[in-house]
Each structure stands twice: as C-alpha cells, then as structure tokens.
Amino acid sequence: MAGLAAVFGSGAMTNSIPEIENNDVLFVIGSNTTETHPIIGIRMKKAVRKGAKLIVADPRKINLVRFADSWMQQKPGTDVVLLNAMMHVLLKNNLIDRVFILIRTEGFESFKEGLEKYTPEYAEKITGVPKQDIIKAALLYGNAERPAIYYTMGITQHSHGTDNVYAIANLALMTGNLGMESTGVNPLRGQNNVQGSTDMGCIPDQYPGYQKVNLSAIKSKFEKAWGVKLSNKVGLTAMEMMGAAIEGKMKAMYIMGENPVLSDPDMNHTLKALNKLDFLVVQDLFLTETAELADVVLPAASFAEKDGTFTNTERRIQRVRKALNPPGEAKEDSVIIRELSEKLGYPMKYNFIEEVFQEIGSLWQAVAGVTYGRIDKWGVQWPCPTLDHPGTPYLFKGGFPRGKAAFTVVEYKPSKELPDEEYPFVLSTGRHLFLYHTGTMIRKGDALSKVLPEAYVELSPDDANQLGVSNSQKVRVSSRRGSIEVKIQVSKRVGKGMVFIPFHYKEAAANMLTNTALDPIAKIPELKVCAVKIEKI
Amino acid sequence: MVNLTIDGIKFTAPDGTSVLDAARRHGISIPTLCHHPKLTPYGGCRLCIVEIKGIPRPVTACTTPVTEGMEVTTINPYLEKLRRTTLELILSDHPNDCMVCEKAGDCTLQELAYFYGLRENRFLGERRIYTKKDGNPLIERDMEKCILCNKCVRVCNEIQGVTAIDIAYRGFKSKVCPPYERDLDCEFCGQCIRVCPTGALTGKMWTLKGRQKDIKEIDTICPYCGCGCNLTLNIRKNEIVRVTSREDTINEGWLCAKGTFGYTFVNNPARLTKPLIRIAPKNSNELRVTSYELKNKKDSEDLSLITRHSSLEKSLVTRHSSLFREATWDEVFDLIAKKFTKIKEQYGPDSIGSLSSARCTNEENYLFQKFMRAVIGTNNVDHCARF
C-alpha cells in the first residue's frame, strides 16, 4: 500500500466490486483471485461472460487462466521487467494518454527514458514470456476503454514489492486509466478487515485516517481529542519489532488476534524474538502457536460475538452484528482493551460501540458521514465526509490527493535469493481455496480441512521426472533457513524450476523456509521468492 | 417497451423480458422449480406453463419472450390441471420423507405439493434408486430427491465457472453427477446448495442441527478474505448451524467454501474460555514448540486427539496445564498493568510493541491503537497483514 500511497496520495482499491463486471479488459497480475478472493473471482468471470478480455500474468497456471485471452507465465520475481516491457510496447505504439499525462501527472520524461531498454526481446530473456505474448497483452490493455488492473501478494511480497506497485501505477498513469468508473488500479486486500485496521491507524507512522504521527498539527489534534501527550516518534513495523526483540530493545509485546509464529517469514527468527521478551500478552480465540509463548493469554470473542464494522477491500464499511454469546469468560476485544486501559489509569468511556465509531468520524473526515443507521442494509464506501454524501465507489474522479500523480523510474532488481546449484528451485508460497492463513480459524478436524488434509508441494512433471519422485511421495524441502517434510503433488500449474507450498500447515510450515529480506519502503518480507532444494527421504 | 396483457390486465415490459419475469415484476406469481433470475432460462420443470392467445398449446413462461400485443393467461382450470399432473409426476419419483428432510419447511417442492393438495399419487411405480457416492466432507447429495431442475448444473457452469457436474444418461435414468459418476471434486463453494429447490443438496455439517423455522437469522460480514461478503448466520441455541447470504448484497448471495462452511471455529470446544497465566519457565519451550512443529507424526497424533471428541478435554488440559494456569480477569489485568508500568518506567514506552489484527473490527483496532498511543505512549503498533 505504501507504493500506491506514494504515487497517488492514497493507497486503496480505486474501484469497487460491482464495477468489475463492466471492465472491458481485466489485467490480473500476481493474484490467484478465484482462490484468494473467490467472490471477486465470480465477478471477473461474469465480466468475461459479458465479453471482457482477461489478461493473466502469473507464474502458476491458476484457475483464472482457463478464462483468459492471454496468459503470461513470468518467472517469479520478474514482474517489473514484464510490466516495463508492456509499457515499452505502449509507448512505441503511441497508446498513451498525452492529455492525462500533461494535466495530472509529473515525471513522465525521465520515466520514458527509463523504459528504453525494456524491449520485449529483453523481457523474454528475463521473464521467460514470449515477446509476442507481451505485445499482445500490452495492446489489449492499451486499446481498452475501461481496463482495470488487479493484484495481490504476488506483486507485493517481494524485496522489490514497492517497485512492482510503482510499475503497475506507471502503466495505469501513462494510459490515463484512472479516476473513471470500472477503470483503475485495484490491490485486493487479503483479510476481512485489513483495510479497516490500516484505516484505523494500526500502523506505526499514522494515526487513524492516514494522518502522520510526526506532523505536529496532527499530533496536537489527537492530543486534544484524547487528552494526553503523544509521541511524535514513528514506531516500529511488525518485522522491526521482532528484530528489536532479538536485540533486547523490545521488552514487552501485546498481540491481539495475530499469529506471527506461523504467518511471518523465518519461523525460527520469530520464535527467538518472542521468547526473548520479558513479557508477552496474547489475546486470541485459541491457544495459537504464538499464544503458547505468552506470559498472559486473554480469551477473546469471535466476529459472531460482537457488534462493530469491517471495511472490505473496496473501502466499504459494513456492519458486523452480534449473533452469539462468547464462550465461558471470553470477552470482546473492545471490552478487554477498555478494562485494561482503565486499570492503567486512562478510562475509555463509551456507552455503546457506535460511540467509538463516532469518535473516529470526528478525527477522520472521510468517515464522518457514516453512521450505523446508514449502513444497516448496505455498506458505504469512504470517503463519505457528510451525512448526505453517498460514499465514493471509485477514487480520483477529480484529481489525486497529492496533486499530480508521480511517475517513478523503476529498474529491475532481481529477488534477494535466486536459485543456484545447491538450491535449484524457486519457492513461492500462497493461500489455498479451502484454507486460510495459519489455521487458527479453519482448524484440523473441521470439515473444510478434510478436503485438503495434508500439506503439499506443487512440482512440475518435468522436474518430478528429473528428481525421480512421484505423486504423494514425501520429500524434504530445504532452504538456507530450515527444512520441512511434505508430500509431492505433481502439477502442471507450476512451471519448470518452480515449486509452490501453501503456507497454512503448521506441521509443514512453509515459513520455515522463506526469506526475511524486506522491501526497503513497505517493509514487507519476500515471501514469494526464495531458493530451495528437494531431496528424497 | 412492449405492451401486453396478463390475466386481463394491461402491462408494459422491456424488450427481451420473459413472460415469467414480466408477470413477476407486476406481482403475478407463476409456480416454477427450475427458474433462477441469475441463470439462463431452462424450461425444464414445465410448471410455469401459460396460455398465449394465438398459440395452440401452453408454453413455458420462463423461455418465452414478451411480444407486442401478447395476451397471456397464467391461471385457468386447464393450466392448473396440467400443473397438478406435472407435480404428481415429479413426486411419483420423490421419496416421501419430508418428516426427516433437512429442507422441510423451506422446500419449494413441498410448498407446491401442499398448495395443490397432493397426498395420493396416481403415478406410483418404478423409482430411481441411487447408490450414494460422496466421501466429500461438505456437500450432502441425496440424488433420490433430485427433480432434475438443472439449477445446480447451471450455477456451477454459469456463475462459478467450474462445471463440476452435469446431467448424465437420458430419460428416466438421467442424473446429475460429476464426470464418470465419481465423487464430487470441486471448489465446494456451495452455490448448488443455495439454488437447489428440494432437499437433494444440503450441507453435511448442518444435518440434524435445526430446520429453518427454528432459526434466528443475523446478518453480518464474513471474517475471511477482503471481499466483505454479507453472511446471514443461522443461529439456534447459541450455535451457528449454517450460513446463508441475502441476494441483495455486494456478493449477490454467492459465497465461497470458506464463507459457507468455515464457521465451525466459532463453536469449537477448543476456544479459550478463561484468562491464562504462564507457569512454565520461558525459553524452555522454544525447543518444545519447534520440535512440536517439526515432528509431523507426533503432531498428527496430538491433533487426532483433538478431533476425537471423547478425549478432547484430556488433550486440552494437558496442553494447557503444562504451560498455563487459569486465572480471573482481575488477576490478569493487575498483572499486565503492573508489568507494562514497570517496563515503561525502566526502559521507556518504546520498549513495548504491539500487533493488532486484521480480524478485529474497526472499533477494536481504533481502541487498540489509542491504547498503545495514549496509554502506553508509543507508536509501536502494527499488524502483520498490512501489505
């Protein structure tokens, strides 16, 4: 999100889900949409049925490829080259929007020069995608009237993830494909309320509503509202906190509803960090792997046991309603936080949960017009500054929050760890349709988990032959950081030289293997590319 | 726009509308079992037959587009007799077991049988008997109750794009099945269950959990991915017994496997019910957890204990009690307050960090960061999944 925010001044999906079916070209890159966002996948298929062209760029032959007019199987980690080559083609064919570039963007000239060397021929060498496919995809996108780009972690979980996002933004900017209905750049958020928790300021440099903690005017606004002195020092990101814990600078942590032991890269690193803490509080539904390391574990209520709101990937604020009582003495997270706060001498007085939302609206204009009454049946998409504002289905209609959007010169940087003789395969990790994250919610023994009871590694038939392994055979997959034992699934979904492991299984945790190399700006770990070897057991 | 008359009343309808849609739009109901507004018209159940002036025989309203000056009759003794006979034919090959059927009370076929007063059946004879082939853990396929309306086939193809099932064989032997009559191997989105007009398709997990009339419905939002699908939790006795979705929502009533079947964690007996305080020494369990993670065999043994209901309590107690003891909320709050205050005094507020959750609500996330910033005094607040 940091990437998009830097370019446009706001980092969210620019369009909304119902607009998908009116796209005439959909460019899906680094998103296995039908598995990670199945309902958005349904809308995409609907668009295709209505006549839209679908371009898919993915190292795996994902299900969406069946519906695609063009599929580019780029090597993992080479997205920048692919995108730059597409832009090179657009430039050569003059399929750019000069008026848009002139009026609404800056930095085009230097960006244009930067594209010179990214010819389709050069890209074919690096990405492995035939040049005619790149040209075809570029022309499809360039000639479209209402094209939109969709991406997820396949773009961002790289040590150069922000560069990937810049490249996508460049593509949309040079063709003027922004600020209109069904036309834009759409990062699909992976979790029910990841948009909301970012909006709410659960990030180290921003208060709710993307207001910087180190700007004194903003700080004093929040100091006034909360009645306390606040710190203007930008905090640490999740990965930096783990590092600080290992160095002994971080002494205590409070973790609410997260399971970093399984979800963060390099499990041993995370375990070491959390074990080094003097005091760890974990608040969760279950005794997760992270909770097992805690000094105090607090039982929390699930989504069905509380009132409140979630904000989905298209910025739509929707009502969550209490349907059940929490089990035993478990309490809603909001109640736990408030009671704890009171113990620490700062009572947070709210009569009902909507008062919290009203307070948010008083501090962040974009949601000031949202009330529980308004979103009783249908959610509203922020920005929605006043009670009579209808909400905003697509962004940047009149311009960008930062004024002119900036082109960024993006150069190809190879992933931090590439295959070599010792570790010859590229490992990518991801989600599976039936499973979700670290398995805290879909648990062993649940009906859903029975569909896919065991971890697997996808391996291409060629590589399987060469290694002399067959379906369901157990192998050891190792990287420089660890190794796991897992069953082979021979599959044409992955290309030669690539393997894929879903990251949900704790008995074969893919994140034992992954690399903690971080993107320098977004601080996101490189979960999509690392080098591994496969050995028979 | 087209002018037409339905049952003697003049209406206008847009070009290309079917007679069925035109009639429904004006509040005239025509019975049907195979029609779904989001799927292509099928004309299979023959219940929506209507008479149109100038056409000698009745036609199906769902597949007939409106034309200028059309005069439609939707109800008369002849049509009702035909419908009654058609229903009788359908029911002649349908198990008469509404008393144990999951769908009873919420079943279109049962509703129609009731309104047409069908108790005796003139066509009793040979019945289709199916051997069940469904090892899948999610979708119950009771094909003897299938009336071949083809809705499941169409939704799987037209909406989900999976084409996992189709109608095999012909005539009396026709049946809906996966290729080669294998077991269902699909995305398990449950779209087919949602459109099934009878009890042929239901969820295995909601067997004997309560029929629709006993259910309290609460609308909320799905806790999985970022699509923000609207869920309707079907609640009975403080338990989610199934999940449905209204059609007038962002997800148009469609859900995925996780949305439909992924709710059991809420009522899982392994949920934490009391605050816990650590009794085991720290660090000793770094090894414990790592070895626990790595030794597949040991792990699966441990987990099979959890799944086996009888030994559930025991396995949980051992897992907890070696590490933690139960405590009261007052006790844990005092402990946390004391520790945080001490660490803050000794090392400064920036020595305390926090991770919030993309699972929790906006309000909870807001309060969480407010707590860290206003009470602890640090901006060390992040969440794992902010990218």
Side-chain angles (χ1 to χ4, degrees), chain B residues 278-306:
Chain B
R278 171 167 223 94
I279 47 170
K282 280 207 116 173
N283 291 325
S284 69
N285 81 325
E286 180 182 31
L287 269 172
R288 198 194 89 88
V289 169
T290 322
S291 60
Y292 177 82
E293 300 306 333
L294 288 178
K295 291 214 176 79
N296 287 339
K297 202 155 164 250
K298 185 170 166 261
D299 191 28
S300 57
E301 273 166 17
D302 189 57
L303 287 157
S304 70
L305 277 180
I306 295 181

Side-chain angles (χ1 to χ4, degrees), chain A residues 192-193 309-311 316-318 320, chain B residues 221-222 359-362:
Chain A
N192 58 334
N193 201 33
T309 55
F310 285 156
T311 307
R316 192 184 300 276
I317 301 166
Q318 308 193 93
V320 175
Chain B
I221 305 301
C222 181
R359 287 288 99 66
C360 293
T361 63
N362 287 326

Side-chain angles (χ1 to χ4, degrees), chain A residues 17 36 38-39 42-43 45-46 49 66-67 153 189-194 196-198 200-204 206-208 226 230-231 233 235-238 241 250-254 256-258 275 277 285-286 289 291-297 299-300 305-306 309-314 316 318-321 324-325 327 329 331 339 341 343-344 350 357 359-360 363 372 378 432-436 441-442 445-447 506-507 522 524, chain B residues 137-138 158 160-161 186-188 191 205 219-230 238-239 248-250 252 254-256 258 262 264-266 268 270-278 282-283 285-286 288-290 292-293 296 299 307 319-320 324 329-330 333-335 339 341 343 347 350-371 373-375 379-387:
Chain A
I17 293 173
T36 58
I39 298 304
I42 285 181
R43 290 273 185 171
K45 293 178 221 170
K46 195 169 171 185
R49 263 196 307 282
R66 280 208 294 134
F67 303 86
M153 299 297 153
R189 312 301 302 258
Q191 298 175 52
N192 58 334
N193 201 33
V194 58
S197 44
T198 321
M200 290 308 121
C202 286
I203 29 180
Q206 288 162 353
Y207 293 118
W226 294 345
L230 296 170
S231 162
K233 197 175 147 211
L236 301 180
T237 63
M241 285 183 218
M250 182 66 62
K251 296 291 179 192
M253 278 187 81
Y254 181 10
M256 171 173 85
E258 290 271 15
N275 269 321
L277 293 170
L285 306 184
F286 294 97
E289 292 73 14
E292 283 189 18
L293 309 178
D295 294 275
V296 174
V297 183
E305 294 148 3
K306 56 175 84 153
T309 55
F310 285 156
T311 307
N312 77 349
T313 179
E314 40 154 19
R316 192 184 300 276
Q318 308 193 93
R319 268 289 264 127
V320 175
R321 289 185 187 79
L324 303 168
N325 294 318
E329 292 174 29
K331 290 184 184 193
E339 289 183 1
S341 185
K343 267 280 188 303
L344 280 156
Y350 302 95
F357 199 83
E359 182 176 316
I360 300 163
L363 290 163
Y372 280 13
W378 266 89
H432 188 279
L433 177 62
F434 299 128
L435 300 167
Y436 189 71
M441 282 156 71
I442 293 173
D446 278 6
K506 69 170 172 184
E507 68 276 15
I524 186 167
Chain B
L138 299 167
E158 295 171 18
Q160 199 67 18
C186 65
E187 292 185 0
F188 295 106
Q191 253 58 291
M205 287 150 58
D219 291 338
T220 190
I221 305 301
C222 181
Y224 287 97
C225 80
C227 293
C229 295
N230 289 242
N238 206 41
E239 188 186 357
D248 59 336
T249 56
I250 183 79
E252 304 185 298
W254 309 125
L255 296 173
C256 71
K258 279 176 268 204
T264 46
F265 74 93
V266 173
N268 191 311
R271 282 277 300 272
L272 294 168
T273 56
K274 281 205 162 131
L276 304 173
I277 292 180
R278 171 167 223 94
K282 280 207 116 173
N283 291 325
N285 81 325
E286 180 182 31
R288 198 194 89 88
V289 169
T290 322
Y292 177 82
E293 300 306 333
N296 287 339
D299 191 28
T307 54
R319 234 184 132 190
H320 271 203
F324 299 99
W329 279 104
D330 272 337
F333 282 147
D334 280 337
L335 176 66
K339 284 279 189 182
T341 312
I343 288 169
Y347 303 102
D350 288 333
S351 64
I352 303 176
S354 68
L355 296 178
S356 179
S357 174
R359 287 288 99 66
C360 293
T361 63
N362 287 326
E363 291 75 4
E364 288 162 347
N365 274 291
Y366 174 82
L367 292 176
F368 187 82
Q369 60 87 34
K370 184 176 175 181
F371 173 79
R373 291 188 161 120
V375 184
N379 286 312
N380 287 339
V381 50
D382 199 0
H383 54 102
C384 289
R386 69 201 183 96
F387 311 104

Side-chain angles (χ1 to χ4, degrees), chain A residues 166-242:
Chain A
Y166 285 150
I168 286 174
N170 287 342
L171 178 59
L173 286 175
M174 76 188 291
T175 48
N177 286 327
L178 275 166
M180 290 175 286
E181 204 173 330
S182 295
T183 306
V185 175
N186 296 293
L188 307 177
R189 312 301 302 258
Q191 298 175 52
N192 58 334
N193 201 33
V194 58
Q195 182 71 47
S197 44
T198 321
D199 292 347
M200 290 308 121
C202 286
I203 29 180
D205 59 337
Q206 288 162 353
Y207 293 118
Y210 306 93
Q211 308 180 67
K212 298 272 180 204
V213 294
N214 49 5
L215 295 180
S216 60
I218 289 168
K219 190 176 78 122
S220 54
K221 170 172 128 184
F222 279 88
E223 283 178 340
K224 210 172 134 200
W226 294 345
V228 284
K229 281 264 161 246
L230 296 170
S231 162
N232 61 355
K233 197 175 147 211
V234 169
L236 301 180
T237 63
M239 294 298 296
E240 288 169 339
M241 285 183 218
M242 295 302 166

Side-chain angles (χ1 to χ4, degrees), chain A residues 54-355:
Chain A
L54 173 63
I55 309 167
V56 175
D58 202 293
R60 296 168 71 212
K61 192 175 180 183
I62 54 175
N63 286 341
L64 216 46
V65 172
R66 280 208 294 134
F67 303 86
D69 292 86
S70 162
W71 173 41
M72 298 183 282
Q73 188 174 27
Q74 79 274 35
K75 289 183 185 147
T78 62
D79 309 81
V80 162
V81 183
L82 185 72
L83 289 162
N84 278 351
M86 283 176 71
M87 289 185 261
H88 181 97
V89 174
L90 291 174
L91 206 57
K92 286 281 169 301
N93 286 276
N94 204 20
L95 287 168
I96 56 174
D97 187 337
R98 291 195 184 278
V99 179
F100 188 94
I101 293 170
L102 196 66
I103 299 175
R104 295 180 64 176
T105 69
E106 59 193 26
F108 181 67
E109 287 309 316
S110 58
F111 156 71
K112 195 172 138 187
E113 282 161 30
L115 283 185
E116 204 48 50
K117 70 175 192 209
Y118 291 94
T119 60
E121 291 78 16
Y122 169 74
E124 179 170 341
K125 253 187 269 167
I126 307 276
T127 63
V129 180
K131 70 172 185 183
Q132 61 271 22
D133 288 1
I134 300 175
I135 295 170
K136 183 184 165 193
L139 295 182
L140 265 178
Y141 181 82
N143 283 312
E145 263 174 55
R146 295 179 311 279
I149 308 172
Y150 300 89
Y151 68 88
T152 53
M153 299 297 153
I155 283 295
T156 53
Q157 283 180 344
H158 291 278
S159 57
H160 52 269
T162 306
D163 284 346
N164 287 344
V165 175
Y166 285 150
I168 286 174
N170 287 342
L171 178 59
L173 286 175
M174 76 188 291
T175 48
N177 286 327
L178 275 166
M180 290 175 286
E181 204 173 330
S182 295
T183 306
V185 175
N186 296 293
L188 307 177
R189 312 301 302 258
Q191 298 175 52
N192 58 334
N193 201 33
V194 58
Q195 182 71 47
S197 44
T198 321
D199 292 347
M200 290 308 121
C202 286
I203 29 180
D205 59 337
Q206 288 162 353
Y207 293 118
Y210 306 93
Q211 308 180 67
K212 298 272 180 204
V213 294
N214 49 5
L215 295 180
S216 60
I218 289 168
K219 190 176 78 122
S220 54
K221 170 172 128 184
F222 279 88
E223 283 178 340
K224 210 172 134 200
W226 294 345
V228 284
K229 281 264 161 246
L230 296 170
S231 162
N232 61 355
K233 197 175 147 211
V234 169
L236 301 180
T237 63
M239 294 298 296
E240 288 169 339
M241 285 183 218
M242 295 302 166
I246 287 184
E247 286 167 27
K249 287 181 198 151
M250 182 66 62
K251 296 291 179 192
M253 278 187 81
Y254 181 10
I255 299 179
M256 171 173 85
E258 290 271 15
N259 190 8
V261 169
L262 280 199
S263 63
D264 283 5
D266 196 351
M267 184 192 280
N268 287 328
H269 177 85
T270 314
L271 283 172
K272 205 167 138 197
L274 294 178
N275 269 321
K276 191 95 190 268
L277 293 170
D278 289 353
F279 191 61
L280 173 63
V281 181
V282 175
Q283 184 169 318
D284 212 309
L285 306 184
F286 294 97
L287 193 68
T288 61
E289 292 73 14
T290 305
E292 283 189 18
L293 309 178
D295 294 275
V296 174
V297 183
L298 306 176
S302 75
F303 82 107
E305 294 148 3
K306 56 175 84 153
D307 279 297
T309 55
F310 285 156
T311 307
N312 77 349
T313 179
E314 40 154 19
R315 298 166 278 107
R316 192 184 300 276
I317 301 166
Q318 308 193 93
R319 268 289 264 127
V320 175
R321 289 185 187 79
K322 180 170 173 164
L324 303 168
N325 294 318
E329 292 174 29
K331 290 184 184 193
E332 295 175 38
D333 296 284
S334 58
V335 175
I336 300 175
I337 297 164
R338 284 166 50 201
E339 289 183 1
L340 185 58
S341 185
E342 188 157 355
K343 267 280 188 303
L344 280 156
Y346 183 88
M348 296 186 185
K349 287 260 188 306
Y350 302 95
N351 294 311
F352 42 89
I353 199 76
E354 193 182 356
E355 283 189 357

